[in-house]
Each structure stands twice: as C-alpha cells, then as structure tokens.
Amino acid sequence: MHIRILGAAAGGGFPQWNCNCRNCADVRQGKPGFRARTQCSLAVSANGSDWVLLNTAPDLRQQINETPELGARADGGLRNSPIKAAVLTGGDVDFIAGLLNLRELQPFTVYGSSRVLSTLNANSVFNVLNGDVVPRRELRLGQTTSIADTGLDIEAFAVPGKVALYLESGAADANYGSREGDAIGLKVTAPATGKTFFYVPGCAVVDADLAGRLSGAPLVFFDGTLYTDDEMLRQGLMKKTGQRMGHMSMSGPEGSIAAFAALGVTRKIFVHINNSNPVLDDNSSERHATEAAGWEVGCDGMEIRL
C-alpha cells in the first residue's frame, strides 16, 4: 500500500489563521525546527493509481495541488481524478468540509457511519455533490466494507470520543449528545497483499476494546491533538481541556504514549496535532521524549509504503 499524509494538523491548521501563540508565531517567522501543516487527512492506494481519502480537510484543494498523484492526469481527458472514495471518521468540520472542494460532477463515493451521513444529509450545502454522481454509503460498524474499484477493504469501529462541537446538545447532557459512531477508527487492508494499518485521528481514551484491536499492528496513525490535557488552558488559548474536546493527551499515565507502551505496535505516528502542542517544535524536550518513546510526529507529505 501507498500511504501519504496530506495534512497532520488539527482543526485550524498550523499556523492557525487567527492564532499568535508561540508555536504559530515561530512557524510564521520561519524559525528552525518548525514546519507548517494543513488539517488532518490521509490518502491511501493499493496500486499507486486509484486513491482513497481518509477524511477531507478544509485544506483539501491545496493538499491535492501539492500531491501530483491526486491531480488530474494528462492522459485522462478534460476532466478526471484518481480519487475514487472519501471515508469519513467523524462529523467535525476539519473532517468533512473538504468535500465541498470535490463538487465538480466528478464521480467518487463518500463512506461514513450512519451518524456522519445523517449530518451530511441534514445540511443542504452538501447537495452540491450530486447524489447521482457521488453516492453516499454507510460504513457499518464492526463490518468490512470493500471500497469499490480500489482494491482496499475498510473496517470501521467505534472509539471513545465526542460529537462534533456544532452538534453538541448542551451542557445539560453530561455526554454532550455523543453516541456510538460519532468517532470511529478505521482498519485499512489491501486483500491482495494482506497489508493493513489503522487510522484513529480522534480518540478520548484507549479502552480495552481498542487496545485489543491495535495490539501487534504494523502501523497506527493516532490522535496527537495535545501533549498535556490542560495545555490550551495554560497557554490562554481556550477554556477547555483535551478531555472536554474528546481527545486524550500524548503524555502522562493516562496518555497515549503510556497506553501504547505494551501493545507491540511496530510503527506509531501522531496526526491531528493542535497548534498548541510543543511536539511541533523539533527541538523541544517534549518532541525528544515522544521520539524516545518510539513515536513519530506526522507532517504533511510524509509517505509510507507497506
């Protein structure tokens, strides 16, 4: 399989358009050790020709233009695209807004949980993707779905998480209206070769079920939103913790680095990294600690072959 990180940042990207935190200021100034990142999305192909998008970030047009493999081909006629499908792991704006970039009557298929598809169906702006040209298909949790014309199978499974902010039902609901299917992980497999990997860009906790799924995996892309749960509070950026936003932190006894320590995952890559996260500085102590624990910090354009 060919895998390419199109964007490794959380919502807002890095730098975020209205943010002057230390990280955003440093990357704008071109300080050594900092690299800009667009919002979180992956592209995967079993044959190097037909591609599946895993989430569609608002930056998708830029990401396609920066990825020659995803652009229109010179020998494909006036209008063509190697993008055959988009698979959505949640209803967050930074996962679905990029669909609007793909509105030029180009055939492909959108896959998502029933919860995510109901969100698309409830918002008429997504009707710019004509259903006769761009069908929507449900990913049934716990079942394997063959992604047509790609040679890839995807199994979707629920992970602990939270409903998108704009869909929250209010503080009176202790769970903010979250239900199964609001956050999902993906197991992506190429049946012809048996190669497989996992994509979990949003996760609140590694529970026993998720740990069992990921144990011994060859490759996992995982939620790297924050390094510490309270970092946005301490930096004065937002009055919310990571847990309130539905994201576990990298560090600490309850963090993802500790949770993965005994799982035997061969290669671990953080994606969906918030602009506040100190690992975005290549020279920070947090970055060194993360890498010493066997993790990689994802960046735009990173390529992996399985």
Side-chain angles (χ1 to χ4, degrees):
M1 276 191 289
H2 306 242
I3 307 163
R4 185 180 177 103
I5 297 179
L6 301 180
F14 180 58
Q16 183 173 301
W17 69 278
N18 67 337
C19 186
N20 196 38
C21 71
R22 184 69 270 154
N23 280 348
C24 288
D26 285 344
V27 74
R28 285 194 186 96
Q29 294 167 12
K31 184 176 179 179
F34 289 86
R35 181 185 301 187
R37 289 163 168 85
T38 59
Q39 293 166 88
C40 190
S41 182
L42 255 63
V44 56
S45 174
N47 57 18
S49 299
D50 303 305
W51 291 84
V52 176
L53 304 178
L54 306 184
N55 288 329
T56 57
D59 308 306
L60 183 57
R61 180 181 178 278
Q62 174 185 342
Q63 293 168 347
I64 291 173
N65 287 339
E66 293 177 353
T67 309
E69 297 91 337
L70 298 182
R73 293 171 180 152
D75 59 355
L78 289 177
R79 294 287 179 94
N80 69 89
S81 172
I83 297 170
K84 304 303 180 185
V87 181
L88 309 175
T89 68
D92 294 271
V93 171
D94 45 321
F95 292 168
I96 67 174
L99 288 173
L100 300 178
N101 290 290
L102 305 176
R103 63 187 183 275
E104 306 296 345
L105 291 177
Q106 179 65 42
F108 70 101
T109 304
V110 175
Y111 295 85
S113 70
S114 61
R115 285 279 280 167
V116 171
L117 294 185
S118 68
T119 298
L120 299 183
N121 294 338
N123 191 327
S124 60
V125 71
F126 290 103
N127 292 339
V128 298
L129 298 171
N130 187 319
D132 294 333
V133 180
V134 183
R136 300 173 187 176
R137 300 283 184 259
E138 182 180 354
L139 285 177
R140 296 186 179 275
L141 301 181
Q143 298 183 17
T144 298
T145 300
S146 293
I147 308 301
D149 303 319
T150 66
L152 293 171
D153 288 349
I154 289 183
E155 179 189 355
F157 51 91
V159 300
K162 192 185 72 61
V163 69
L165 175 64
Y166 65 93
L167 295 174
E168 287 185 4
S169 61
D173 181 345
N175 203 33
Y176 303 99
S178 298
R179 288 188 281 167
E180 185 177 66
D182 284 322
I184 64 173
L186 305 175
K187 180 182 181 182
V188 183
T189 303
T193 62
K195 300 296 184 180
T196 189
F197 72 93
F198 289 86
Y199 180 56
V200 188
C203 185
V205 64
V206 176
D207 60 12
D209 180 71
L210 182 57
R213 286 182 180 276
L214 301 182
S215 182
L219 172 64
V220 177
F221 296 91
F222 196 77
D223 183 355
T225 305
L226 303 179
Y227 191 77
T228 55
D229 189 56
D230 65 346
E231 73 185 45
M232 297 189 74
L233 287 168
R234 288 187 290 103
Q235 294 182 34
L237 298 174
M238 182 181 289
K239 296 180 179 179
K240 289 182 180 179
T241 63
Q243 281 295 305
R244 169 62 180 85
M245 296 186 292
H247 298 285
M248 69 188 302
S249 302
M250 294 180 178
S251 66
E254 305 298 324
S256 49
I257 292 175
F260 273 75
L263 296 186
V265 176
T266 302
R267 190 172 183 185
K268 308 177 290 289
I269 302 175
F270 279 124
V271 292
H272 198 269
I273 305 163
N274 196 61
N275 63 75
S276 60
N277 195 321
V279 302
L280 291 171
D281 178 358
D282 293 351
N283 301 310
S284 68
S285 59
E286 293 88 350
R287 177 63 167 266
H288 296 325
T290 299
E291 293 176 340
W295 284 82
E296 299 173 64
V297 176
C299 61
D300 294 21
M302 181 184 289
E303 295 188 33
I304 299 97
R305 298 283 182 103
L306 290 178

